Structures are given as structure tokens and as C-alpha cells.
């Protein structure tokens, strides 16, 4: 068992208990998310066999957490547990995989929304824990979004593009677009894509 004292600067052991003494001048522990890139906005499709992986590195963490809690806080106010273990993972874990489709099927009363989310990670002290030397500071620095693809409808079943005529009229009326052959492609099969807001 490990306990921490943020006001001391030596380490000692007695029996099976290790006392970790952390200097008051030590910085607070930090998480840096490395997947997906925090500089881009990632969009994830809620669909079968579509898994989301979040990965991170630790810095300055001297008091190793027993557990981490990983949550996705939606702009609609709901909080969703991330991962297969109701959002609670080992304190030394550096990644978690989230099966969006499985969550969606198993939680009909609180489904994932087509919204923007903020990834939150905190240690045993809780989401509101203050800064303390050597202890992990709660993380809330990554934004991402989710979407649900529309059901496929074939032309034979009556699908029609209600906006295509207007789009073509605007396209053909612009000589620059016509002369350069400018095109825009949308790959509806992508399960994950990113957008650089810069």
C-alpha cells in the first residue's frame, strides 16, 4: 500500500507499507493526450465495430493513483463512462478503448448524442481535486464529436437528393469553379476524420 505526504522530501519503508514523501516544491502531475491529436477535432461514427482509442502520457506524477476515472462530458450536460469497465481503469493505464456501438445498444435510456464531448480523466481524489505536488491534476483538455450515419436508401427505394439541384445551380453559375474543375468529395464511409480548426 502506498500513501503520500506532500510536505516531506524523504522516502522510508516500514514493513509492507511504503510512505511516499513528496516535496512541496514538486509540480502537480499532468496528463498529455497523444491519441487522438489534441490540436485537431476528431469525429467518431457511432456504428458497429467502430472503436475509439484514447491514449495519454503522464508527467510529474509521484503519487501513483490506484484507479483512474475516464468520462466523456457532452455539451448536452450528460456524462458518459468511457471504456468497458464503466469508466474506471487501473491507475497506471495509459490508454482506453471505447466501443461506441456496444455502449449505445446497452444504454437505451442514455444514448450517445450527436454532439461535442470533452474527455475527462481524474484519479482517486475525484474530478474536483485541487492541484497538489506530485498528484495527478484532473484533465479536461480534449474535445471530440460523435455522429450517427443515416440509414442507406437506394435510388430504387425512392432516395433523392433534395439539395443537389440548388448546389449544381450555384456551382455552374460560378465560372471560377467550372473553369478550375473544383470538386468536393464526401466519403460517407469514414468512421473517423479530423478537422483542423486553424
Amino acid at each position: 500500500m502506498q500513501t503520500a505526504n506532500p510536505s516531506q522530501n524523504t522516502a522510508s519503508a516500514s514493513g509492507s507499507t511504503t510512505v511516499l514523501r513528496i516535496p512541496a516544491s514538486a509540480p502537480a502531475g499532468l496528463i498529455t493526450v497523444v491519441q487522438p491529436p489534441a490540436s485537431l477535432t476528431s469525429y467518431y461514427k457511432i456504428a458497429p465495430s467502430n472503436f475509439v482509442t484514447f491514449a495519454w502520457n503522464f508527467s510529474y506524477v509521484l503519487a501513483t493513483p490506484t484507479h483512474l476515472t475516464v468520462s466523456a462530458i457532452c455539451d448536452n450536460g450528460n456524462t458518459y463512462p468511457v471504456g468497458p469497465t464503466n469508466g474506471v481503469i487501473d491507475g497506471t493505464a495509459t490508454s482506453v478503448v471505447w466501443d461506441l456501438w456496444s455502449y449505445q445498444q446497452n444504454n437505451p435510456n442514455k444514448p450517445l448524442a450527436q454532439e461535442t464531448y470533452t474527455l475527462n480523466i481524474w484519479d482517486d481524489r475525484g474530478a474536483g481535486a485541487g492541484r497538489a505536488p506530485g498528484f495527478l491534476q484532473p484533465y479536461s483538455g480534449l474535445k471530440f464529436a460523435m455522429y450517427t450515419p443515416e440509414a442507406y436508401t437506394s435510388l430504387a427505394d425512392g432516395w433523392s437528393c433534395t439539395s443537389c439541384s440548388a448546389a449544381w445551380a450555384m456551382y455552374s453559375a460560378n465560372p471560377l469553379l467550372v473553369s478550375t474543375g473544383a470538386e468536393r468529395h464526401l466519403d460517407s464511409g469514414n468512421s473517423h476524420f479530423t478537422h483542423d480548426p486553424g
Side-chain angles (χ1 to χ4, degrees):
M1 182 179 71
Q2 178 175 280
T3 53
N5 184 337
S7 63
Q8 303 296 323
N9 59 10
T10 60
S12 63
S14 176
S16 61
T17 300
T18 299
V19 178
L20 177 65
R21 304 189 190 280
I22 301 173
S25 59
L30 300 174
I31 276 180
T32 302
V33 170
V34 296
Q35 182 182 349
S39 60
L40 304 175
T41 301
S42 293
Y43 296 80
Y44 296 103
K45 182 167 66 175
I46 303 170
S49 302
N50 192 40
F51 303 94
V52 176
T53 298
F54 297 110
W56 55 87
N57 294 326
F58 295 106
S59 300
Y60 312 117
V61 177
L62 302 178
T64 304
T66 303
H67 299 99
L68 297 174
T69 299
V70 186
S71 297
I73 299 180
C74 184
D75 282 358
N76 67 11
N78 288 338
T79 297
Y80 301 88
V82 174
T85 53
N86 206 31
V88 179
I89 60 177
D90 186 83
T92 60
T94 55
S95 67
V96 65
V97 178
W98 194 10
D99 184 345
L100 302 181
W101 183 253
S102 176
Y103 177 89
Q104 197 78 327
Q105 299 306 301
N106 293 322
N107 296 274
N109 295 326
K110 194 177 180 181
L112 296 168
Q114 297 189 82
E115 291 273 2
T116 301
Y117 297 76
T118 303
L119 183 70
N120 282 248
I121 305 174
W122 60 82
D123 65 10
D124 311 283
R125 298 175 304 142
R131 293 173 61 93
F135 285 80
L136 181 65
Q137 182 178 339
Y139 173 86
S140 59
L142 178 74
K143 292 217 175 259
F144 60 97
M146 297 187 200
Y147 67 99
T148 302
E150 293 185 6
Y152 173 76
T153 303
S154 68
L155 290 172
D157 291 330
W159 180 87
S160 64
C161 179
T162 56
S163 60
C164 293
S165 296
W168 173 250
M170 185 170 57
Y171 174 85
S172 60
N174 190 323
L176 179 62
L177 291 176
V178 174
S179 64
T180 59
E183 297 176 332
R184 182 177 181 180
H185 298 279
L186 176 62
D187 179 4
S188 61
N190 281 348
S191 61
H192 169 223
F193 57 95
T194 58
H195 168 65
D196 186 348

